[in-house]
Amino acid sequence: MPSRPMIGYTHVTKSFGPLRAVDALSLDIAEGEFLAIVGRSGSGKTTLLRLANRLIEADGGSITVEGEDVRNIDPVALRRRIGYVFQSGGLFPHLSVADNIGITPKLLGAPAAEIAARVDELIELVQLERAAHRDRLPEALSGGQRQRVGVARALAARPRIVLMDEPFGALDPLTRDALGEDFRELHRRLGLTTVMITHDMTEAILLADRIAVMRSGKLLAQGTPAELSDSSDAYVLELLRTPRRQVERLNALLPQGGAA
Ligand SMILES: Nc1ncnc2c1ncn2[C@@H]1O[C@H](COP(=O)(O)OP(=O)(O)OP(=O)(O)O)[C@@H](O)[C@H]1O
Ligand SMILES: [Mg+2]
């Protein structure tokens, strides 16, 4: 790695009782990179993400953020530097869209007028409608709109790093596609470093610069899609076969050039 990684995991281990959820894992994420983490349910993806902002603490090894050992960073300060988008959106159901988005600046003691201006800016950034959505409760939003609020909230404190735990999982394919593209553009425009967990290899290939494959708490492979397809591991190759098979079936079923 030529320069210091934005997030660096070195021999990180986290056990829950006898289970090693993350097992001596090393991984560097470069500044500006968009990394996707894929792997079966229970392979340790969420645990890995939560270790970075100290939602859980590692048992062994070390984790750095912008070169600093996370153990030396106050957890609250750390979470201000790292936006986190939860799988289900994780919005507070009793708070309006605006209050959900503004919760971090509010906890940081920002003045009300400043929070309001920042909330408006973020609503625009994630392409929600200020007039229609600002004062609604999360229950009155579609799943895709809720995820946009989740992204806005994660960006509120202007973090340089965003961690996303299956952010687009429960959405229909078109919404998912649109949100993925929109986020990729935000990632670029804001110069973010993004780590996104996904179950969907096609999504990982389309959005990420690099893909990390986890199995049983270990890093099985990492690289660009092209690099991964050179892997000799059967599971990695199987993961890559699925998108390929989908493309072949679609090509067979859809008339070529059928954009109409
Ligand atoms: N707080 C906890 N206490 C005990 N076991 C846990 C805890 N959190 C996670 N685990 C276990 O650690 C393993 C890894 O969990 P993790 O949530 O990281 O998996 P994952 O890859 O995110 O799975 P999924 O794709 O289903 O979200 C699982 O076996 C899980 O049951
Ligand atoms: Mg998970």
Side-chain angles (χ1 to χ4, degrees), residues 16-17 19-22 39-48 50 56 87 165-166 197 199 214:
F16 295 109
L19 175 90
R20 286 199 162 200
V22 172
R40 282 204 189 99
S41 186
S43 58
K45 305 180 298 294
T46 297
T47 304
L48 187 71
R50 293 163 71 92
I56 47 180
Q87 179 163 5
D165 194 348
E166 291 201 56
I197 295 174
H199 267 119
M214 283 187 74

Side-chain angles (χ1 to χ4, degrees), residues 26-245:
S26 297
L27 172 69
D28 282 347
I29 300 144
E31 180 171 5
E33 185 169 32
F34 195 130
L35 179 86
I37 300 179
V38 301
R40 282 204 189 99
S41 186
S43 58
K45 305 180 298 294
T46 297
T47 304
L48 187 71
L49 226 57
R50 293 163 71 92
L51 285 165
N53 67 355
R54 293 184 64 185
L55 285 169
I56 47 180
E57 304 282 350
D59 303 324
S62 68
I63 304 168
T64 58
V65 166
E66 298 181 83
E68 268 181 90
D69 192 313
V70 294
R71 282 170 294 203
N72 299 331
I73 309 174
D74 166 60
V76 175
L78 187 65
R79 283 167 216 150
R80 207 178 302 157
R81 285 159 64 172
I82 304 179
Y84 198 102
V85 182
F86 295 86
Q87 179 163 5
S88 54
L91 302 179
F92 299 105
H94 56 288
L95 294 184
S96 70
V97 164
D99 288 344
N100 263 287
I101 296 174
I103 189 115
T104 309
K106 187 169 178 193
L107 291 174
L108 294 172
E114 195 180 295
I115 297 173
R118 180 71 181 139
V119 165
D120 287 345
E121 192 179 87
L122 287 159
I123 285 178
E124 194 164 316
L125 193 69
V126 298
Q127 298 178 34
L128 287 167
E129 284 166 52
R130 195 196 310 179
H133 299 129
R134 200 183 195 286
D135 299 317
R136 277 199 210 171
L137 289 176
E139 66 182 14
L141 298 175
S142 73
Q145 290 163 346
R146 257 178 249 153
Q147 287 308 89
R148 288 182 190 273
V149 176
V151 170
R153 187 178 58 181
L155 294 172
R158 302 181 201 276
R160 301 186 61 208
I161 299 171
V162 176
L163 308 178
M164 309 177 100
D165 194 348
E166 291 201 56
F168 313 132
L171 304 173
D172 74 83
L174 280 180
T175 306
R176 190 179 177 133
D177 213 38
L179 261 174
E181 288 294 316
D182 286 351
F183 184 77
R184 173 83 221 187
E185 174 56 21
L186 276 181
H187 163 88
R188 191 195 61 74
R189 188 146 50 97
L190 302 178
L192 300 172
T193 300
T194 300
V195 185
M196 181 184 77
I197 295 174
T198 174
H199 267 119
D200 183 341
M201 193 58 167
T202 305
E203 181 172 79
I205 292 171
L206 292 175
L207 292 180
D209 302 313
R210 208 158 56 99
I211 299 170
V213 181
M214 283 187 74
R215 188 171 62 190
S216 309
K218 291 195 161 65
L219 187 66
L220 195 60
Q222 55 173 312
T224 62
E227 284 163 356
L228 288 185
S229 56
D230 284 338
S231 168
S232 56
D233 185 273
Y235 175 57
V236 173
L237 294 176
E238 178 57 30
L239 278 175
L240 286 167
R241 259 195 292 278
T242 311
R244 227 177 245 135
R245 238 185 258 127

